[in-house]
């Protein structure tokens, strides 16, 4: 399994339905009939987990679009992507 | 034998029973909407009495037999609930109370024993109109279809509200308390019941609180979505469709969380404050 570093390009599983909401989004894992609710930042990161963006690019995008982070959001972004992977929401490659 | 029908949305059942038990049936099973009819529905129930026993048939198939009529009514009512829910296809059904204030419909989702019935009784006391105390059906136009089942008054409520002392007692299975003695009371006894579809305007999630009083706060949609799925009874059409349906419900509704220990234990001032806050939801 690849390490989640700045060059890693996370890819969300395409078979999982995602719906955007006013303040975030939800991912439905039908195998376990589980819903994962995502806050605004996590939903934004989820959309960027398309296999075309590196973690560094996602962090930069968060910096540009979210004002609530006073310090560097890098750790927060990596934590969220790790959480996606732990929950088996990302593809293995 | 007398014949009655109960219709909700696209669901309809008929009931045939002897004259001697008619009053027991119509006072316990969907009392507000049960009507005499001439023709049996596609789903037809018949109650017979023979050799000291009652027999309940659904479309001529025996489903229950018992010496006690209350056990038969309990089984009949529950089967009718399932039939009416199932027959309303292309709708979402929630484990929730539903009430109307002015032209706005509100759904109050909550787990068993979270206070749905108590809250419904409180609200209709303050001139809200009941649509349902247990199941809310929402159609594709986001209208709540009334489901005015009789209110199931559990023992803890019997001491707090006035109910007819001669109403029959049903020994039923309660998710939280096991076997309990409850009464099926017509909701009209407590106030107004509304029988037409109402547009959904508000979603309120009930949460049991350890503190007295109440706390009503807006709820973030991504949290509400997950909760909403917990109270969704069945998903009778494809995943994409009901996901979109839930998203659109949240998009067009005010979404709140109500933390409350027991609606019946609110002081009159607290009750009025709660009603005022609910009335202000836009």
């Amino acid at each position: 399994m690849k390490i989640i570093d700045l060059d890693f390009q996370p890819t969300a599983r395409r078979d999982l339905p995602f719906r955007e909401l006013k303040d975030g989004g939800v991912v439905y894992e039908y195998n376990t009939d589980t819903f994962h609710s995502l806050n605004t930042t996590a939903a934004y990161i989820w959309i960027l987990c398309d296999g075309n963006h590196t973690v560094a690019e996602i962090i930069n995008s968060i910096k540009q679009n979210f004002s609530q982070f006073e310090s560097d959001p890098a750790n927060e972004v990596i934590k969220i992507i790790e959480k996606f992977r732990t929950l088996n929401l990302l593809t293995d490659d | 034998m007398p014949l009655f029908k109960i219709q909700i949305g696209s669901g309809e059942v008929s009931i045939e029973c002897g004259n001697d038990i008619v009053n027991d049936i119509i006072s316990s099973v969907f009392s507000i909407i049960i009507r005499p009819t001439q023709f049996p529905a596609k789903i037809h129930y018949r109650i017979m009495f023979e050799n000291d026993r009652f027999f309940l048939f659904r479309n001529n198939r025996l489903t229950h037999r018992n010496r006690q009529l209350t056990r038969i009514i309990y089984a009949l009512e529950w089967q009718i609930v399932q039939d009416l829910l199932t027959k309303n296809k292309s709708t979402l059904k929630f484990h929730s109370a539903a009430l109307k204030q002015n032209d706005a419909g509100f759904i109050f989702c909550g787990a068993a024993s979270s206070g749905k019935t108590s809250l419904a009784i409180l609200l209709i006391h303050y001139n809200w109109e009941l649509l349902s105390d247990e199941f809310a059906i929402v159609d594709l136009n986001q209208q709540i279809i009334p489901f005015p089942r009789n209110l199931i008054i559990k023992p803890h409520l019997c001491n707090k509200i006035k109910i007819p002392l001669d109403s029959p007692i049903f020994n039923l299975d309660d998710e939280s308390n096991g076997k309990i003695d409850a009464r099926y009371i017509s909701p009209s006894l407590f106030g107004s019941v509304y029988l037409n579809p109402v547009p959904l305007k508000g979603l309120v999630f009930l949460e049991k609180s350890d503190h007295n009083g109440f706390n009503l706060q807006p709820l973030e949609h991504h949290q509400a979505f997950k909760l909403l799925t917990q109270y969704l009874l069945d998903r009778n059409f494809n995943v994409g469709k009901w996901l979109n349906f839930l998203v659109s419900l949240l998009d067009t509704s005010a979404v709140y969380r109500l933390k409350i220990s027991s609606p019946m234990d609110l002081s009159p001032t607290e009750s009025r404050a709660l009603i005022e806050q609910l009335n202000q939801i836009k």
Side-chain angles (χ1 to χ4, degrees):
Chain A
M1 191 178 281
K2 287 178 187 168
I3 295 167
I4 299 180
D5 55 17
L6 294 177
D7 295 328
F8 179 62
Q9 293 179 307
T11 310
R13 276 173 54 194
R14 288 191 178 84
D15 58 329
L16 303 181
F18 167 77
R19 292 293 183 279
E20 204 171 341
L21 300 166
K22 273 182 188 167
D23 52 20
V26 283
V27 178
Y28 178 52
E29 179 23 309
Y30 52 84
N31 287 329
T32 53
D33 194 23
T34 309
F35 285 89
H36 302 285
S37 66
L38 313 180
N39 63 19
T40 317
T41 317
Y44 187 81
I45 293 170
W46 177 262
I47 292 167
L48 293 180
C49 287
D50 55 2
N52 296 319
H53 293 84
T54 63
V55 170
E57 287 167 339
I58 294 172
I59 292 167
N60 274 336
S61 187
I62 289 282
K63 278 180 190 168
Q64 284 167 21
N65 292 292
F66 289 81
S67 53
Q68 78 260 36
F69 292 99
E70 286 175 7
S71 55
D72 190 349
N75 285 342
E76 186 66 23
V77 170
I78 290 173
K79 214 187 279 178
I80 289 171
I81 294 171
E82 274 172 352
K83 181 83 176 172
F84 289 161
R85 185 148 81 178
T86 309
L87 291 169
N88 194 29
L89 305 179
L90 300 181
T91 58
D92 290 333
D93 43 84
Chain B
M1 287 206 290
L3 186 62
F4 296 90
K5 74 166 181 178
I6 297 167
Q7 186 176 5
I8 287 179
S10 49
E12 187 183 32
V13 300
S14 54
I15 307 165
E16 191 181 1
C17 62
N19 277 311
D20 49 338
I21 61 167
V22 163
N23 284 338
D24 296 287
I25 302 294
I26 61 177
S27 66
S28 304
V29 183
F30 287 88
S31 304
I32 286 277
I33 53 168
I34 192 165
R35 302 275 185 272
T37 185
Q38 288 183 313
F39 307 103
K42 276 187 183 167
I43 300 173
H44 179 64
Y45 289 94
R46 186 161 44 94
I47 302 172
M48 305 283 286
F49 185 69
E50 219 171 78
N51 299 329
D52 236 16
R53 275 196 171 88
F54 292 95
F55 296 84
L56 173 62
F57 298 86
R58 182 183 184 275
N59 288 347
N60 293 321
R61 267 183 85 161
L62 179 68
T63 63
H64 293 82
R65 77 181 113 194
N66 205 290
R67 288 180 199 278
Q68 294 177 47
L69 180 59
T70 53
R71 296 301 298 173
I72 293 294
I73 294 176
Y74 172 43
L76 169 71
E77 202 264 357
W78 185 241
Q79 287 191 85
I80 291 175
V81 165
Q82 300 306 315
D83 286 332
L84 295 174
L85 289 173
T86 308
K87 285 292 168 188
N88 277 282
K89 295 190 170 75
S90 296
T91 59
L92 289 187
K93 296 118 189 176
F94 298 98
H95 190 203
S96 65
L99 290 106
K100 170 180 173 284
Q101 164 68 343
N102 297 325
D103 292 325
F106 284 73
I107 284 181
F108 296 87
C109 293
S113 299
S114 61
K116 292 187 294 296
T117 301
S118 311
L119 184 65
I121 292 171
L122 180 74
L123 291 177
I124 52 183
H125 178 72
Y126 284 94
N127 298 322
W128 285 51
E129 292 174 273
L130 184 81
L131 302 167
S132 169
D133 82 315
E134 185 78 5
F135 300 109
I137 302 178
V138 182
D139 69 14
L140 291 171
N141 299 317
Q142 298 193 15
Q143 302 230 84
I144 306 172
I145 299 171
F147 198 87
R149 185 188 186 193
N150 278 26
L151 303 189
I152 298 178
I153 305 298
K154 295 177 186 173
H156 71 278
L157 275 180
C158 285
N159 305 327
K160 295 177 181 173
I161 53 176
K162 284 183 190 161
I163 52 169
L165 294 173
D166 59 348
S167 54
I169 295 173
F170 296 88
N171 186 245
L172 53 88
D173 302 309
D174 184 65
E175 276 178 46
S176 336
N177 304 306
K179 291 268 185 202
I180 57 164
D181 287 337
R183 296 166 193 264
Y184 289 9
I185 305 291
S186 169
S188 61
L189 193 77
F190 302 100
S192 180
V193 181
Y194 194 77
L195 299 178
N196 294 315
V198 181
L200 174 66
K201 293 287 179 200
L203 285 164
V204 181
F205 295 91
L206 296 180
E207 195 176 295
K208 203 86 180 159
S209 167
D210 297 330
H211 306 289
N212 291 334
F214 71 90
N215 183 282
L216 181 70
Q217 294 290 337
L219 184 64
E220 290 188 314
H221 283 201
H222 66 93
Q223 293 175 334
F225 191 100
K226 202 169 175 180
L227 285 173
L228 206 48
T229 60
Q230 287 172 17
Y231 300 115
L232 190 58
L233 287 179
D234 65 350
R235 297 151 186 179
N236 55 11
F237 39 90
N238 75 58
V239 172
K241 207 169 172 183
W242 62 257
L243 282 176
N244 292 342
F245 198 172
L246 292 185
V247 171
S248 64
L249 284 191
L250 288 170
D251 274 346
T252 53
S253 306
V255 185
Y256 282 77
R257 186 201 301 268
L258 173 59
K259 290 186 181 177
I260 191 165
S261 61
S262 166
M264 283 292 147
D265 293 335
L266 293 179
S267 69
T269 310
E270 288 170 331
S271 298
R272 280 194 294 274
L274 172 60
I275 301 300
E276 204 176 309
Q277 289 186 29
L278 288 171
N279 285 345
Q280 283 171 1
I281 291 179
K282 297 251 189 296

